[in-house]
Amino acid sequence: MDKIIISPSKYVQGANVLGSIGEYVKPLGTKVLAIADGFVAELVGAQVQTSCDQADVELSLEQFGGECSRPEIERLIEKANAFGAEVIVGIGGGKTLDTAKAMAFYSKLPVVVVPTIASTDAPTSALSVIYTEEGEFSEYLLYPSNPNMVIMDTQIIAGAPTRLLVAGMGDALSTYFEARANAASGKATMAGGAPTRSAQALAKLCYETLIADGLKAKIACDQNLSSTAVENIIEANTYLSGIGFESSGLAAAHAIHNGLTKLEECHHLYHGEKVAFGTLTQLVLENAPMEEINEVITFCRSVGLPTNLKEMGVSEINRDKLLEVAEASCAEGETIHNMPFVVTPELVLSAMLTANELGSL
Ligand SMILES: [Zn+2]
């Protein structure tokens, strides 16, 4: 199998970097159609406008309706066409960014992604999740290339609720372990080939960064302040985990996350909060050493990620329901089959229950 690594062409991160967005975007085109929801437009709209004015970049800021749906994508593409946009910019959370990626893909324009939170590793990726207008999952849209640029303003991200940054750490927590499992099995990654040593090194650095800086970053973020640790965690949550998951592989942790979406009690949780428990379950599933399991549990507790079902809102352990979760995580096409051994729902159920107990001690 060929080895493949994919990534955004440019990644920019810094405090108040939005004040330079005009200069960064200009080489891609001077007519910029940006989308942001009402809250984000209020938060950063003036700063983005000033920066574009200073760089002689013409900006049209359109309000994003809130759902990454086909009708919304089409509505915004029409706005972009009418304006004569040369570049699409998405500023905000996951759905805004996914909509911008889709608009750029269908319009054959470059796209710049500007996350205002670091709660998942999706921004750097070459995919969008499309929903119906009612907000139900519809499909994954896979692109032939990653975003042209990802811009992370650490000041803005540090000012967002801490729980979002911590959820991003939960998403990033699985990256190394899923990469390791995927490497052992030799299966293809999301990038469509075998993993490179480069992507595996980034996945490992992602985990090391979480252990070294996660708690410090959480504390600074609690005070809405940035710091070296916050900067490092934003990079880990976004870039290291982003390249890691796409180019070094997903395995059990994310499949178990997908299974957990079956539990109504878990609907209030963020993606990364469920992935954290998925990670713990994967470690039990692969019979990882206690030292490693304890390190992960200690890390989760230190930053406030759940380590057991009760903390995720499941007050009563119902084996039948958990077996449904396990079965869903083992569905055909799930990344759990990238593990280096055959995984059955019974093994997942056993691992989930054991992880739950270990994480309750
Ligand atoms: Zn994820």
Side-chain angles (χ1 to χ4, degrees):
M1 202 186 304
D2 298 333
K3 293 180 181 176
I4 302 177
I5 182 167
I6 59 176
S7 69
S9 309
K10 192 166 189 169
Y11 179 85
V12 182
Q13 180 182 303
N16 304 313
V17 75
L18 265 184
S20 315
I21 190 172
E23 279 168 52
Y24 280 115
V25 170
K26 197 173 185 181
L28 296 172
T30 52
K31 283 179 80 89
V32 173
L33 187 292
I35 62 164
D37 65 26
F39 174 78
V40 170
E42 182 78 21
L43 187 71
V44 303
Q47 195 182 9
V48 172
Q49 183 68 61
T50 304
S51 176
C52 286
D53 290 346
Q54 284 167 352
D56 273 331
V57 166
E58 204 180 329
L59 172 74
S60 169
L61 183 58
E62 288 294 333
Q63 182 143 348
F64 170 56
E67 196 51 83
C68 181
S69 64
R70 293 270 173 195
E72 180 65 358
I73 292 163
E74 276 156 33
R75 180 184 76 81
L76 289 165
I77 286 176
E78 274 171 34
K79 297 271 185 194
N81 287 342
F83 176 62
E86 295 168 358
V87 192
I88 304 295
V89 176
I91 311 172
K95 286 178 191 247
T96 311
L97 309 181
D98 277 2
T99 302
K101 286 183 197 176
M103 290 166 65
F105 170 67
Y106 288 117
S107 313
K108 298 187 170 60
L109 293 175
V111 63
V112 177
V113 163
V114 187
T116 50
I117 52 178
S119 64
T120 76
D121 55 19
T124 60
S125 73
L127 68 90
S128 291
V129 187
I130 309 293
Y131 294 84
T132 66
E133 281 178 285
E134 290 73 40
E136 300 262 317
F137 170 80
S138 168
E139 63 190 303
Y140 289 106
L141 201 53
L142 304 173
Y143 307 121
S145 55
N146 297 63
N148 298 73
M149 205 185 306
V150 175
I151 299 179
M152 308 290 291
D153 190 318
T154 53
Q155 204 62 51
I156 292 190
I157 294 163
T162 307
R163 190 178 160 198
L164 294 166
L165 188 74
V166 169
M169 294 190 222
D171 199 19
L173 181 63
S174 73
T175 305
Y176 165 61
F177 300 109
E178 293 189 278
R180 187 174 70 179
N182 201 111
S185 73
K187 299 272 176 69
T189 72
M190 302 279 289
T196 55
R197 287 169 60 78
S198 325
Q200 287 173 322
L202 296 186
K204 188 143 194 273
L205 181 61
C206 182
Y207 180 63
E208 289 165 359
T209 305
L210 294 178
I211 297 298
D213 288 332
L215 177 58
K216 286 178 275 173
K218 181 213 176 280
I219 292 168
C221 192
D222 277 339
Q223 298 166 72
N224 292 328
L225 295 170
S226 191
S227 64
T228 302
V230 170
E231 295 256 350
N232 290 350
I233 288 299
I234 290 171
E235 185 180 338
N237 287 7
T238 314
Y239 191 82
L240 298 176
S241 185
I243 310 303
F245 100 83
E246 256 190 326
S247 294
S248 62
L250 291 176
H254 269 78
I256 291 159
H257 160 275
N258 293 345
L260 286 168
T261 61
K262 290 251 163 209
L263 292 181
E264 205 151 299
E265 297 100 308
C266 293
H267 283 181
H268 66 289
L269 296 171
Y270 289 120
H271 173 79
E273 293 173 328
K274 284 171 285 186
V275 171
F277 186 70
T279 304
L280 188 53
T281 304
Q282 175 178 322
L283 289 173
V284 175
L285 186 66
E286 61 192 3
N287 202 29
M290 275 312 294
E291 196 185 4
E292 193 165 73
I293 290 173
N294 281 332
E295 186 175 65
V296 166
I297 290 173
T298 303
F299 168 76
C300 287
R301 292 222 174 102
S302 74
V303 296
L305 285 165
T307 59
N308 58 54
L309 292 161
K310 195 172 172 203
E311 285 172 6
M312 291 197 295
V314 182
S315 47
E316 234 172 275
I317 303 292
N318 178 328
R319 281 201 184 196
D320 291 339
K321 270 191 177 175
L322 288 177
L323 186 60
E324 278 177 41
V325 170
E327 279 165 352
S329 71
C330 294
E332 203 186 322
E334 263 302 349
T335 54
I336 208 161
H337 304 298
N338 289 344
M339 294 297 287
F341 48 86
V342 176
V343 180
T344 62
E346 289 71 25
L347 284 173
V348 175
L349 175 66
S350 166
M352 262 197 300
L353 291 170
T354 305
N356 177 54
E357 293 297 330
L358 289 171
S360 306
L361 293 177

